Amino acid sequence: QGINDVTPGGKDRPALQTTVPPVVEQACYLPTTPDGVPAMGALPVEIAGKSCYVATGHGCWGILLGPASGESMASLIMTGKSTVHVDLTPFRPSRFPSFGLVPQLSI
């Protein structure tokens, strides 16, 4: 049976057109770091000033890692420490000496 045979009024409608191939495009950006490990924590003061935090570079795992990243970053920002569940030491942005997250502006 076809779709027109099983839908109400299907016999009275023209057949579905399936001869045109679908247009498939992807417009997403999955940020990653040079070593493939997310960067989470405070940026160095000399680069970004005081109280500038990032949580980026999760790549395709962003949705899955979002809850743990969000909880640990919220704790870091509010208390100065991550949660007991996540040690942010391996994720520190300062592991990249010239990370280039914040462009240097000349005023």
Side-chain angles (χ1 to χ4, degrees), residues 77-95:
I77 292 167
M78 296 303 294
T79 68
K81 297 185 282 188
S82 180
T83 64
V84 296
H85 308 289
V86 179
D87 176 14
L88 288 178
T89 306
F91 305 105
R92 68 195 183 290
S94 61
R95 71 184 189 272

Side-chain angles (χ1 to χ4, degrees), residues 21-86:
V23 175
V24 179
E25 294 183 21
Q26 183 173 345
C28 62
Y29 175 68
L30 299 174
T32 57
T33 59
D35 63 3
V37 177
M40 300 190 310
L43 289 178
V45 174
E46 60 274 7
I47 292 175
K50 187 177 177 186
S51 300
C52 185
Y53 297 84
V54 296
T56 188
H58 293 78
C60 64
W61 298 101
I63 297 292
L64 181 64
L65 298 174
S69 296
E71 180 184 33
S72 60
M73 289 299 296
S75 178
L76 177 66
I77 292 167
M78 296 303 294
T79 68
K81 297 185 282 188
S82 180
T83 64
V84 296
H85 308 289
V86 179

